[in-house]
Amino acid sequence: MSVEIPEITKKLLAAKQAKGISFADLEKAVGRDEVWIATVLYRQASASEDEASKILHALNLSQDLLPELTACPAKGLGPVVPTDPLVYRFYEIMQVYGMPIKEVVHEKFGDGIMSAIDFTLEVEKEEDPKGDRVKVIMNGKFLPYKKW
Amino acid sequence: MSVEIPEITKKLLAAKQAKGISFADLEKAVGRDEVWIATVLYRQASASEDEASKILHALNLSQDLLPELTACPAKGLGPVVPTDPLVYRFYEIMQVYGMPIKEVVHEKFGDGIMSAIDFTLEVEKEEDPKGDRVKVIMNGKFLPYKKW
Amino acid sequence: MSVEIPEITKKLLAAKQAKGISFADLEKAVGRDEVWIATVLYRQASASEDEASKILHALNLSQDLLPELTACPAKGLGPVVPTDPLVYRFYEIMQVYGMPIKEVVHEKFGDGIMSAIDFTLEVEKEEDPKGDRVKVIMNGKFLPYKKW
Amino acid sequence: MSVEIPEITKKLLAAKQAKGISFADLEKAVGRDEVWIATVLYRQASASEDEASKILHALNLSQDLLPELTACPAKGLGPVVPTDPLVYRFYEIMQVYGMPIKEVVHEKFGDGIMSAIDFTLEVEKEEDPKGDRVKVIMNGKFLPYKKW
Amino acid sequence: MSVEIPEITKKLLAAKQAKGISFADLEKAVGRDEVWIATVLYRQASASEDEASKILHALNLSQDLLPELTACPAKGLGPVVPTDPLVYRFYEIMQVYGMPIKEVVHEKFGDGIMSAIDFTLEVEKEEDPKGDRVKVIMNGKFLPYKKW
Amino acid sequence: MSVEIPEITKKLLAAKQAKGISFADLEKAVGRDEVWIATVLYRQASASEDEASKILHALNLSQDLLPELTACPAKGLGPVVPTDPLVYRFYEIMQVYGMPIKEVVHEKFGDGIMSAIDFTLEVEKEEDPKGDRVKVIMNGKFLPYKKW
Amino acid sequence: MSVEIPEITKKLLAAKQAKGISFADLEKAVGRDEVWIATVLYRQASASEDEASKILHALNLSQDLLPELTACPAKGLGPVVPTDPLVYRFYEIMQVYGMPIKEVVHEKFGDGIMSAIDFTLEVEKEEDPKGDRVKVIMNGKFLPYKKW
Amino acid sequence: MSVEIPEITKKLLAAKQAKGISFADLEKAVGRDEVWIATVLYRQASASEDEASKILHALNLSQDLLPELTACPAKGLGPVVPTDPLVYRFYEIMQVYGMPIKEVVHEKFGDGIMSAIDFTLEVEKEEDPKGDRVKVIMNGKFLPYKKW
Amino acid sequence: MSVEIPEITKKLLAAKQAKGISFADLEKAVGRDEVWIATVLYRQASASEDEASKILHALNLSQDLLPELTACPAKGLGPVVPTDPLVYRFYEIMQVYGMPIKEVVHEKFGDGIMSAIDFTLEVEKEEDPKGDRVKVIMNGKFLPYKKW
Amino acid sequence: MSVEIPEITKKLLAAKQAKGISFADLEKAVGRDEVWIATVLYRQASASEDEASKILHALNLSQDLLPELTACPAKGLGPVVPTDPLVYRFYEIMQVYGMPIKEVVHEKFGDGIMSAIDFTLEVEKEEDPKGDRVKVIMNGKFLPYKKW
C-alpha cells in the first residue's frame, strides 16, 4: 500500500546518509535546487550527464551508476491515495482547495492549467516563534487551452 | 466521476456572475484572501457570521442563506483521482514530487508534517513575456510528531 | 458506470438532431474544427462569446444559453475505465502502446511530455476498398521538464 | 503503482543502450516502424521469427532469446490510471475528448468503432520555432457493429 | 452498485410485458435475432429506422420514440464486477477460462483477437432430462494484429 | 496489472513448446478437450491422476509434478478488468450483451442462471473467405433458483 | 456507499410495519420461509403469481403490484465491501474462514462448489443464558466441476 | 489477484498431503473441529501450545514451527472480491441475501449483530440421491448495540 | 465522493439549529450521551420509543417521525476513504497505529478483538493553555476468538 | 491484501519473542508508552538515537540497526480497507460514529480537527466480571482552521 522505493534510490540515500551530507550540500555541489535533486534521487526526474556525475561524486558513488540517473524514468511513486501523513496532506489540500484554486486561476488567466512540467517547486523553512512553518512555492507556466 | 458541486455553490457562483464581480472584489469587500473566499463558496470552509454577511451582501443575496455559509461543512469535493486537468496537475505533482518533498522537509524539520489546517494558500499571477506563470504559495505550520 | 451526459449537452445534441445539421456544418458556421465544437457541446471546452453565439444560432437555440458555453467547465467525462467500446479502444491503445510511445518520444525529444492543452485533435475518414479507416491525428507541443 | 517492466524488456533496452543505437536505426534494420519495434521490445506485440532474429542481431543479443519475442504476450502494461505524466496525458485526452470523438466518428461512419488491432500508430517530430510538436497519428479500420 | 436501467428500456420492457409478447415474437416481427433485439431494447445497439419502426409497432408504442432506438448509444451497462449471479457467471468464466482460451486461440489463429464488433451471439435452450442446458454461441471475426 | 502466471504453468508451457506439440495433440493424448487441458495447465482445473499422468507424459515431464495438477486450485487468474485485448473482449461482451442475455435466458427458462461449473466451453475455427472466425460455444446447465 | 433500497421494497416494508405483522406471520401466510420472503421483498428473488398475491394480500397492498414481485430482478444489493456491521460480519467470515472452508469442502467432495442457486438459508434464534445466539444454516447442492 | 497463501501454510498442507491424512483425522488428533484446524493451518486463527504441538505431531513436522501456529496472525486472506468460485458463492450469498438476513435478525433479536468472533462454523456433507449437499452451519452470539 | 446525509438527519439537524440547543442539552433531555444521540440523528443507531419521543420533543418535531428513529438502520455513512479532514484523521490513525494497537491488545488480552457493538465512545474537551485538546475515549468489550 | 510487515519489524518482533519480554517491559526500559514503542517497531514512528539504542539493547540486538529506527519512515501500513478483524473494528467505528463525532467536535470546538500528529494513544485493560474491556484513549490537539 505504501511507496515502493526503487533500489537505486535506496543506494543513493544510504550513501548520502553514510557521507553525512544534506540536500542543501548537494544543492551547492550540483548547482540545482535541493528539491529537484531529491527528485532525481527518487528517479522521478532525469539528470544530464554532468549533473549525474556531480551527484555521484558528491555521494562517493561509482560513475557506473550514471546511466541510472540520466535515463527518462517511468514516473509516479505513490499509491492512488497516499497513506503517508506528510504526503497525504497535499492530497487533502487538493480535496479541499482544488476547486477554489480552479475558480481563481480561471478568473485570473482564462481556461487553461498550471503546467506541472514547465514547473518549479521550492520548500522553505519559515521560522516562527509560535512554531516554524513549511512554505512550499509552486511556479508553473500557465498553458491556455488551444482551440482549432 | 467529476465533481458534484453543491446547490448553494451554484447559487453563489451564479450571483457572482450576475453581479459581474471578481474574487478580487470579494477580497476587498470581505477582508479575506480570494482563495479562502472561493473555498467558502465551495462550502469547504466555514465563515463567521460577519464574513458570511459580507459575502451575501456583496453578491446581492438574501441574508437567509447565512447559516449555509457558517455551518461546518463535510469537506472533500473531488473524486479519488481528479479528472479535471487543472486539478489533476496537483495530484501529479504529488505523484512525482511527493517523496522528494518529504525527504527535504524531514531533513529541514525532523519527523512531522506540514499542517493543512493551520495553513494558507495564495494564487498569484506572475507576468512573463514567455508566457505568464501561476504561482501557488502554500504555508503550513510544521507539526512535529509527538512522542509519549 | 457509463458516462453521465450534462443536461446542456443533451439539449444541444437534441437541437442539432432536430435541425438536421452535422458537425461538419457547424465547423463551417463557427470556423472551428468539428471535434473542438463537439468538445464544447460536451462542456469539455469553453467557447468565446462569439463562438458560443454562432453555435447557438446554428442550432436555433436561445442566446440565453451563452454563459453555459463560455464558462470554464470541470472537465473529465468518463468512468475510470471507459465501458463504451469506441472510447475503450483508446484506453487499450494506451495499455498496449503507452510505454513504447514513451520510449520513442524520449528518444526523439528528451525527457518531457506531449501537451494535452496546447493540443489539437482531428478525426478523418480514409476511404479504403478493404474497409474505411478512422484516422486520428493528435498534435501537442513538446514540453521539456524544467530543472531548477 | 507504476509500470512493471518485464525482465526481457530490461535486457533488450540495456543492449540497445549499450550498442548505442536508436529506434530509428532498428526501424532500418528490421524494416518495421520504430513504434512497432518498441512495442515488441515491451512485449506487447509478437514478432515473426525473421523480425525477432533481426532485432536480436541488431542488439548484439543471442538468438536464444528468439522465442521470447515471437510468443503471443499477455498484453497491457499500465496501472488502471497511468501515473507517468507522458502516458497520463493520453488518458486525459480520452477523459476530455473521448465522447466528442465518439460523436464525430458516429456521424462520419455510423455505429461502430476504430479497431485497435487492425491499427497503426506513428510518432513524428514536427519542428516549430515556438517549440517542437509531437504528432501522433493513429489509423485503425472502422468496424461497423454487426447485426444478426 | 447494480445495473442502472435506462428509462427508455423500462418503457420498452413494460410495453412488451403489457402486450404479452416474447423476444421470439419480436424476432419474427423484426427479422433479427432475439438477443440482438434485447440489446437494442437495453440501448446497447442502434437499430435502423426500419428496425426501430417494427419494434415500436410490435410493442404498440408511438413512433415518436424512434430516434431513441436509432441513436448510437454510449455502451456498457454493468458495474465493474457484475453482482447479478447470471451475469457474474460470465465474468467468472473469463477469470477461470480466459487465459486458456487465449492460448488455444493463439495456437489456432496466431496473435490477434476475436472481434466483439463483427460478432454475433445466440442463446439456445438445449433440452436435457438431467436438466435443460443454456447454450451460448459466440461468433466473432478473427482480427490479426497489424504490423507496420 | 496483467496476469501473474503460476510457475508450474510456465514450466508446462515451456515443455509444450520444447516438444513442439499443440493443444490438439494433447487433446488426442489425454482424451479431453483442448480448452479443458489448457485450463489444467493454467491451474484453473484439477485433473485426475490418470489425466495428469498422460499430460506429463505427453510433455516429457517428470511424474513428480503429478500432485501439482491434481490439487484443487484457488481459481481466478485475471485482474479485475482484464487488460489483454483478447480477454478484454469477453468482458466487453458482458458489458454490452450481459443484460440482454439475462432477459432472454429468463424468458426461456425462468429465474435462474447458466451454471459455470456444470459447464463446457469449446473454441472452433470457422474458415471464411472474408476472414476466419472464432466460434466459442458455452454450454452450462440451467439452475433454477430454489425456493424454500 | 451504503445500500440503495428499491422503492418497491420501501413500500412493502412500510406496509408490513403499518400492518404490524412479522416475517414469521408472512411465513405462515405464504407457506415459504421467512428469509426467502424477505428476499422477495428486497427484490432479490422472484415470486410466483400465487406467492406474490399472498404476500400483497397479507400486507394489505394492491394486487397491481404483483408484476413487480414476479419479475426476475437484477440481483445484488450491496456495495463492494458492505459497511453495515451485521452484513460485514459475513464478509469478514469469508476473509477469515473462506480458504479453510474451501479446503474442507474439497476434501469431503472433490473439486467443485456449493451452489448458491440450488440453495436454502435459514436464520434461527438459539436461546442461551450467556446470550442468545444467531444460527445461520446454509444448504447448497454440491456441484462438481464438469470435465469435457 | 488470487489468494496469497503464507509459506507456513504451504508447508503444513504439503506435510498433510505427504502423510496422507485428512482434516477429519486431524480433528480426532487435536480434539477440535476440522474447519477450525484448517483455519489454523491458513494462519487465520491462533492455536494454544498444546493444540499446535498436536497438529505438528500429527503432520510429522518439527516442534520448532510451534511459535508460527500460536502467534496471533494478521487476518484476512482474500482479495476484495474473491475470484475463486467456491469462495465467491459466499460473497454472492451476501449480495443477494445480506439485507434479507439483516431484516430477519433485527426482527428476531433487535438492533445488533451476529458475532464473527464468538462464533463457530461447521461444514457437513448431506448425502442426497439428487446430488449431495454442502451444509454450512454458522453459529454466533447475538451482540446487541450498547447505548450509553 | 463525500458523505450523503439522510433526509431525516437534515431535518433533525435543522430543527436542532432552529431551536438553538446543543448536543449537551439533548444529553440532559434524553439521559443518553451526546455522541450516542448524534449517532441516532445520523441514523447509525436505533432509539427506543421513549428515547425517540424525547429527542423529537426536545427538537419541537412531530412524533410522527418516531418510527424513523426506532428502525434498525443500514449503517455506514462514509466513502471508502473519508475525505473530510476531521474524519480522515481517524482513518490515518488506523493506518499508522493500527498494527501497533493490535500487538499491544494481543499481548494484554490474547487473540481476539475490541467489540465495536458492546462499545461506548465519548468526546471530551481538555482545556490546555497551549491549545485545547480533543479526547476520544473508546471502550469496548474484549471478545476472545472462540475455538470449537 | 493483508498487511506487509517490514523486514526490520519481523526481526524486532522475533527478538522480542526470543527474549520473552513484553511491551510493558519495553515501556520501562525506554521510558516511553508501550503503544508508541510498538509504533516504532512497526516503523511508523522514528525514535531518537537514545530511544533506539535503548530499544535495541532491551531486545539484545546490534546497535548497527540504529539508523533503521531513527529514519523518518514512509508511513501507512494497512490495505485501503483493513481485513484484520481487530483493525477493521476501528474502521467500522469511523463508518458508524465518524459523522456524529464530527458534529460533537464542531459544537464543542468550532471548525477544525483533532490532530493526529500532536497526538497520543493509550490502550488500557479494564477488568470487568462480565468480560474485560479494551479502553483506547486518543488525545489530540484541536487545530482550528486558519483563515487568511
Side-chain angles (χ1 to χ4, degrees), chain C residues 1-3 78-79 81-94 134 136, chain D residues 94 98-99 101-103 105-106 110-117 119 138 140-146, chain E residues 39 42-46 71-78 113-119 143, chain F residues 81-82 85 88-98:
Chain C
M1 273 305 123
S2 200
V3 172
V81 176
T83 59
D84 181 77
L86 185 146
V87 181
Y88 179 80
R89 292 307 178 272
F90 289 91
Y91 182 81
E92 181 176 305
I93 287 164
M94 183 184 68
V134 184
V136 174
Chain D
M94 183 186 68
M99 288 301 291
I101 292 170
K102 182 176 159 75
E103 281 288 343
V105 168
H106 288 331
D111 203 353
I113 66 157
M114 176 183 80
S115 180
I117 309 296
F119 172 83
M138 300 177 177
K141 191 180 181 182
F142 178 73
L143 303 178
Y145 262 100
K146 192 181 182 75
Chain E
T39 308
Y42 271 93
R43 297 308 297 123
Q44 299 292 306
S46 48
C72 296
K75 300 179 186 77
L77 257 185
I113 66 157
M114 176 183 79
S115 180
I117 310 296
D118 185 341
F119 172 82
L143 304 177
Chain F
V81 177
Y88 179 80
R89 292 307 179 272
F90 289 91
Y91 183 81
E92 180 176 305
I93 288 164
M94 184 186 67
Q95 282 282 345
V96 173
Y97 297 105

Side-chain angles (χ1 to χ4, degrees), chain H residues 15-26:
Chain H
K16 175 173 168 292
Q17 189 179 44
K19 185 115 187 253
I21 63 173
S22 67
F23 284 106
D25 295 333
L26 285 169

Side-chain angles (χ1 to χ4, degrees), chain B residues 23-102:
Chain B
F23 284 107
D25 296 332
L26 286 170
E27 182 169 321
K28 275 173 220 136
V30 183
R32 290 275 178 217
D33 187 86
E34 60 189 341
V35 173
W36 183 80
I37 294 169
T39 307
V40 172
L41 264 55
Y42 271 94
R43 297 306 297 120
Q44 299 293 304
S46 47
S48 68
E49 297 226 341
D50 180 54
E51 292 155 352
S53 174
K54 282 176 181 159
I55 290 170
L56 291 169
H57 186 261
L59 296 175
N60 274 3
L61 286 169
S62 160
Q63 295 288 328
D64 292 355
L65 296 173
L66 197 141
E68 295 208 47
L69 298 191
T70 58
C72 297
K75 301 178 186 78
L77 256 186
V80 176
V81 176
T83 60
D84 181 77
L86 185 145
V87 181
Y88 179 80
R89 291 307 179 273
F90 290 90
Y91 182 82
E92 181 176 304
I93 287 165
M94 183 184 67
Q95 282 283 344
V96 173
Y97 296 105
M99 289 301 289
I101 291 170
K102 183 176 158 74

Side-chain angles (χ1 to χ4, degrees), chain D residues 10-29:
Chain D
K10 289 180 192 161
K11 205 179 295 181
L12 293 161
L13 291 175
K16 174 172 167 295
Q17 188 179 44
K19 185 112 188 254
I21 62 174
S22 67
F23 284 107
D25 295 333
L26 284 170
E27 182 169 322
K28 278 175 215 132

Side-chain angles (χ1 to χ4, degrees), chain F:
Chain F
M1 273 305 124
S2 201
V3 172
E4 282 180 52
I5 296 174
E7 281 314 303
I8 178 72
T9 302
K10 288 181 192 160
K11 206 179 295 180
L12 293 160
L13 291 175
K16 176 173 167 294
Q17 188 179 45
K19 185 114 187 251
I21 61 173
S22 67
F23 284 107
D25 296 333
L26 284 169
E27 181 169 322
K28 278 175 215 132
V30 183
R32 290 274 177 218
D33 186 87
E34 60 190 341
V35 173
W36 184 81
I37 294 169
T39 307
V40 172
L41 264 56
Y42 271 93
R43 295 308 297 123
Q44 299 293 305
S46 48
S48 69
E49 297 224 342
D50 181 53
E51 291 154 352
S53 174
K54 282 175 180 159
I55 290 170
L56 292 168
H57 185 261
L59 296 175
N60 274 5
L61 286 168
S62 160
Q63 295 289 325
D64 293 354
L65 296 173
L66 197 139
E68 295 208 46
L69 298 190
T70 58
C72 297
K75 300 178 186 80
L77 257 185
V80 176
V81 177
T83 59
D84 182 77
L86 185 145
V87 181
Y88 179 80
R89 292 307 179 272
F90 289 91
Y91 183 81
E92 180 176 305
I93 288 164
M94 184 186 67
Q95 282 282 345
V96 173
Y97 297 105
M99 289 300 291
I101 291 170
K102 182 176 158 74
E103 282 288 342
V104 172
V105 169
H106 288 331
E107 189 171 287
K108 283 184 195 297
F109 294 87
D111 202 354
I113 66 157
M114 176 183 80
S115 180
I117 310 296
D118 185 339
F119 172 83
T120 64
L121 186 157
E122 280 167 287
V123 174
E124 291 176 7
K125 184 173 189 168
E126 198 179 87
E127 302 207 346
D128 186 319
K130 283 176 294 178
D132 293 346
R133 298 184 75 82
V134 183
K135 204 167 156 184
V136 174
I137 300 131
M138 299 177 177
N139 185 311
K141 191 179 181 183
F142 178 74
L143 304 178
Y145 262 100
K146 192 182 182 73
K147 295 170 177 185
W148 69 99

Side-chain angles (χ1 to χ4, degrees), chain G residues 21-85:
Chain G
I21 61 174
S22 67
F23 284 108
D25 295 332
L26 284 170
E27 182 170 321
K28 276 173 217 133
V30 183
R32 291 277 178 214
D33 186 87
E34 60 189 343
V35 174
W36 184 80
I37 293 169
T39 308
V40 172
L41 264 55
Y42 271 94
R43 296 309 297 123
Q44 299 292 306
S46 48
S48 69
E49 298 225 340
D50 181 52
E51 292 154 352
S53 175
K54 282 175 181 160
I55 291 170
L56 292 168
H57 186 260
L59 297 174
N60 275 3
L61 286 169
S62 159
Q63 295 289 326
D64 293 355
L65 295 173
L66 197 140
E68 295 208 46
L69 298 191
T70 58
C72 296
K75 301 180 184 77
L77 256 185
V80 175
V81 176
T83 60
D84 181 78

